[in-house]
Amino acid sequence: RPSFIPAKILREVVRYARDKGLFVNFLYGRNRPPQAQERIIDSIAHVKMVPLSLLEVYPDAVLVLDAAERDSFAQIPQADGRTIILRAERTDLSRLAADMESLRGRFKRLNVHLTGVERFTEQDIDCYETQLRIVARTLQERYAAGDEIEINALTDRMLLPQMNNCEAGVKHLTIAPNGNGYICPAFYHEDEAGASLGEWTAERELTVDNPQLLSIACAPICSQCDAFQCKRCVYLNKRMTLEINVPSREQCLIAHAERELSRQMLNKLRNIAPFNKLPVIRSLPYQDP
């Protein structure tokens, strides 16, 4: 696979995005791209998502960390406004609360992203819930002290009035280094040839087969669910249930564990503004819709 998207294709992507008024996210690997690509990237409003190895080069970028890099977390400068994405495998779950605590003061928003969900057991999900419960207690103390931070798995559901999922293939598409389009980067990494939507050009609109299946309205389970913070990952749907609009049990259990802990935390924060003005999250008699 090419390491970097060719400058010619990148230039066309940027020109197209500028003409259409689109915002662009650039996903970086562990190496800095050539100067030609850097100049093209910087010619349009965008967000860079970079690994820890490039943080010094791009201090204002969204930082993407693997939990296995925890020994290096202390090297990350303190920053009140940074967004961090923390990727955690099932083998990282038992240390998740400690990993998140070690990032204290280094982010404004922390997005926890679980990887390898297709291999999660119910014991793994129980462990994740236990770790989030520890984080929730710490987060309540920080809110009582006046801190204003967000941790997606615990705070997003309190603030969302409706589904706010990934929306891959609906609101955004991926242009890969090979010049082809994909529903999202995961499809590219999983099956570069088979998952391609075809070669992208500014003159050719990419089309998704049966695009209605990516819509929440055509997801019979998700459309009735109020775990609004759930990623509703269509890649995992396809991989685990063979249906792009049907979630796996694992995804539902994870989303509802997050939802329930958000509900409990909100109830305990009712005497603190602005939590006293947020709508009630109702209790549910189930964990898997």
Side-chain angles (χ1 to χ4, degrees):
R1 290 178 177 177
S3 299
F4 303 103
I5 189 167
K8 179 181 179 181
I9 296 174
L10 184 59
R11 193 175 294 110
E12 286 298 307
V13 169
V14 168
R15 182 181 298 120
Y16 180 85
R18 186 181 296 113
D19 291 345
K20 298 289 186 179
L22 303 176
F23 196 81
V24 188
N25 292 326
F26 291 103
L27 277 63
Y28 281 60
R30 297 193 180 279
N31 299 307
R32 188 174 182 177
Q35 282 299 310
Q37 278 88 335
E38 291 267 42
R39 287 192 293 270
I40 298 168
I41 290 169
D42 289 337
S43 70
I44 191 170
H46 67 279
V47 165
K48 294 180 175 74
M49 299 184 180
V50 307
L52 183 56
S53 60
L54 293 180
L55 177 60
E56 289 188 7
V57 181
Y58 309 109
D60 297 326
V62 172
L63 179 60
V64 182
L65 300 173
D66 289 316
E69 299 175 296
R70 59 181 61 88
D71 291 342
S72 300
F73 289 176
Q75 302 172 14
I76 301 170
Q78 298 278 313
D80 294 335
R82 181 185 292 126
T83 296
I84 291 179
I85 298 172
L86 178 63
R87 293 160 37 93
E89 286 272 2
R90 61 188 298 266
T91 52
D92 299 312
L93 293 176
S94 63
R95 301 179 63 174
L96 188 59
D99 289 340
M100 293 166 73
E101 178 62 21
S102 68
L103 293 169
R104 180 192 283 242
R106 295 176 168 87
F107 66 86
K108 171 75 171 179
R109 177 175 173 84
L110 178 66
N111 290 335
V112 179
H113 178 74
L114 301 179
T115 61
V117 169
E118 66 275 14
R119 297 185 295 273
F120 276 34
T121 64
E122 293 203 18
Q123 289 73 29
D124 293 326
I125 296 171
D126 288 343
C127 180
Y128 175 60
E129 183 175 1
T130 297
Q131 292 293 301
L132 277 190
R133 195 176 298 279
I134 296 171
V135 176
R137 287 198 293 267
T138 302
L139 198 53
Q140 288 164 215
E141 295 171 359
R142 296 181 67 179
Y143 284 148
D147 284 358
E148 296 181 1
I149 61 170
E150 299 175 9
I151 297 178
N152 66 327
L154 291 169
T155 58
D156 282 6
R157 178 57 185 84
M158 294 192 294
L159 301 170
L160 291 171
Q162 60 188 12
M163 278 289 188
N164 186 40
N165 314 130
C166 174
E167 302 287 8
V170 177
K171 293 185 177 179
H172 56 89
L173 291 172
T174 293
I175 308 300
N178 62 10
N180 290 345
Y182 295 85
I183 291 176
C184 80
F187 284 95
Y188 165 66
H189 285 287
E190 175 75 12
D191 186 4
E192 180 178 349
S196 171
L197 302 177
E199 182 180 2
W200 180 86
T201 67
E203 293 74 31
R204 176 182 176 270
E205 293 287 342
L206 295 174
T207 56
V208 179
D209 291 338
N210 298 314
Q212 72 280 0
L213 295 181
L214 297 174
S215 167
I216 185 72
C218 289
I221 297 172
C222 300
S223 61
Q224 303 300 314
C225 180
D226 76 340
F228 298 148
Q229 86 294 342
C230 178
K231 294 180 180 65
R232 201 170 68 88
C233 176
V234 294
Y235 164 75
L236 282 177
N237 290 357
K238 184 68 173 177
R239 181 167 183 175
M240 299 177 73
T241 71
L242 304 183
E243 296 290 345
I244 205 163
N245 62 344
V246 177
S248 65
R249 174 170 170 78
E250 291 84 351
Q251 284 197 84
C252 290
L253 288 175
I254 289 169
H256 278 74
E258 295 169 347
R259 180 195 181 281
E260 175 59 16
L261 289 172
S262 297
R263 185 188 72 82
Q264 294 177 15
M265 189 168 71
L266 180 57
N267 287 344
K268 293 175 181 177
L269 292 170
R270 280 298 177 191
N271 61 337
I272 301 174
F275 302 99
N276 55 346
K277 298 179 180 179
L278 296 178
V280 171
I281 302 174
R282 64 191 178 96
S283 179
L284 296 176
Y286 58 82
Q287 294 177 300
D288 178 3

